[in-house]
Amino acid sequence: MGRNILIVESNNDKYFFQSVIKHLDIDLEVAAPVFLDEDYRAMDGSDSTKLINALKDLKADIQKEDIERIGIILDVDRHSEAERIKFINDCIIKVFPKAITLDRANQFTDLNFEAYPIKLACYFTNVNGQGELETVLKVIKNQDSTYADCLDRWRECLVSNGKKITDKKFDKLWIVNYIRYDTATKDEQKHADRKLTLNYALENKSFIWNLDHPILAELKVFFRLFNNSSS
């Protein structure tokens, strides 16, 4: 069986998805880890140039390595799923002109690249059709979040003074406070530059997130696609 490669936007995404994948290994429906020796390729953003370049690199690797399946995960942000699928399809066709375009998320399509039987599927990180990774993390927090939750009153104060902060920026700030003040140990606080980052929390403290939360159900459906060689 060939390798499966997951293209993601950032290291934060990488560490979070790794945690979910490891967690799925205890699911009785999965005979083995969903990704055992897979690669994670961070795009550091989701603009078309970066995704096209990631696909070009992958195209070169396909001709040298035994790659079977490719996954792409992007934040949905404020786009519709249809807009996100069109974005990915436009990038795919520029690199794999004979590919069958995607119709929806969580379903494989064929890249039709020479004699290589490569399949590709996508998923969009979201909460109720909007948002990004931080939006999801805020929903699935698994510890007391008093410090972070008190930011709601700060936000109300901003509004009463004619100021505002976007949901995107607010969620990022909420996560920073949750990690720094609600969940950090004394030792971590002494090493703030290394141990009070989102990367560190995602990679080393997955227990502060509820990986069984229903909001992750569709993501788990996506990952299980890569565990069934007959798909």
Side-chain angles (χ1 to χ4, degrees):
M1 182 175 178
R3 294 166 56 212
N4 300 315
I5 294 179
L6 180 62
I7 297 174
V8 299
E9 290 191 47
S10 70
N11 280 329
N12 286 341
D13 295 283
K14 168 185 172 179
Y15 295 134
F16 175 65
F17 296 137
Q18 283 178 329
S19 295
V20 176
I21 288 164
K22 290 177 182 177
H23 189 67
L24 275 177
D25 190 30
I26 67 173
D27 192 315
L28 296 178
E29 297 179 18
V30 182
V34 180
F35 291 98
L36 184 58
D37 297 308
E38 281 60 26
D39 290 344
Y40 293 80
R41 306 196 174 190
M43 290 190 298
D44 190 24
S46 61
D47 65 82
S48 60
T49 300
K50 291 173 182 175
L51 179 54
I52 288 170
N53 287 338
L55 290 170
K56 285 181 178 178
D57 289 343
L58 205 53
K59 185 176 184 178
D61 290 344
I62 287 171
Q63 300 172 75
K64 299 179 291 184
E65 306 173 28
D66 185 15
I67 296 173
E68 183 175 356
R69 295 172 181 187
I70 300 166
I72 298 175
I73 300 182
L74 302 180
D75 295 332
V76 75
D77 288 323
R78 294 184 176 276
H79 303 281
S80 67
E81 181 173 309
E83 289 171 335
R84 269 313 199 206
I85 288 175
K86 182 181 185 303
F87 172 83
I88 292 178
N89 280 334
D90 289 346
C91 294
I92 290 172
I93 292 301
K94 289 181 180 178
V95 181
F96 300 96
K98 296 182 179 180
I100 299 174
T101 55
L102 294 161
D103 292 322
R104 60 182 176 85
N106 283 11
Q107 185 179 60
F108 279 120
T109 191
D110 293 310
L111 291 185
N112 284 334
F113 176 52
E114 298 179 1
Y116 304 99
I118 310 296
K119 294 183 179 294
L120 182 145
C122 67
Y123 174 79
F124 305 112
T125 305
N126 74 95
V127 174
N128 299 324
Q130 288 193 331
E132 56 185 342
L133 177 62
E134 283 83 358
T135 319
V136 173
L137 294 177
K138 186 180 176 187
V139 171
I140 68 170
K141 65 95 179 181
N142 204 26
Q143 305 289 314
D144 176 79
S145 56
T146 301
Y147 283 94
D149 290 338
C150 282
L151 288 171
D152 289 329
R153 293 185 182 179
W154 170 77
R155 193 178 196 183
E156 291 171 2
C157 179
L158 288 179
V159 174
S160 67
N161 284 277
K163 306 291 184 179
K164 62 180 180 179
I165 183 172
T166 64
D167 290 341
K168 185 184 184 79
K169 290 181 178 179
F170 182 79
D171 287 347
K172 289 182 182 294
L173 186 60
W174 190 97
I175 294 298
V176 168
N177 278 265
Y178 179 61
I179 292 171
R180 180 176 289 269
Y181 299 112
D182 287 307
T183 64
T185 64
K186 290 183 178 180
D187 176 71
E188 288 167 346
Q189 291 171 348
K190 291 177 182 178
H191 302 88
D193 57 329
R194 294 187 296 107
K195 296 187 176 182
L196 294 185
T197 66
L198 180 52
N199 276 359
Y200 178 88
L202 290 170
E203 188 174 20
N204 300 284
K205 300 176 62 175
S206 62
F207 61 86
I208 70 174
W209 322 107
N210 177 11
L211 299 184
D212 292 312
H213 197 286
I215 204 73
L216 300 179
E218 286 301 308
L219 175 62
K220 292 177 181 179
V221 169
F222 174 75
F223 284 142
R224 288 189 179 109
L225 291 175
F226 295 83
N227 194 57
N228 186 351
S229 60
S230 63
S231 295

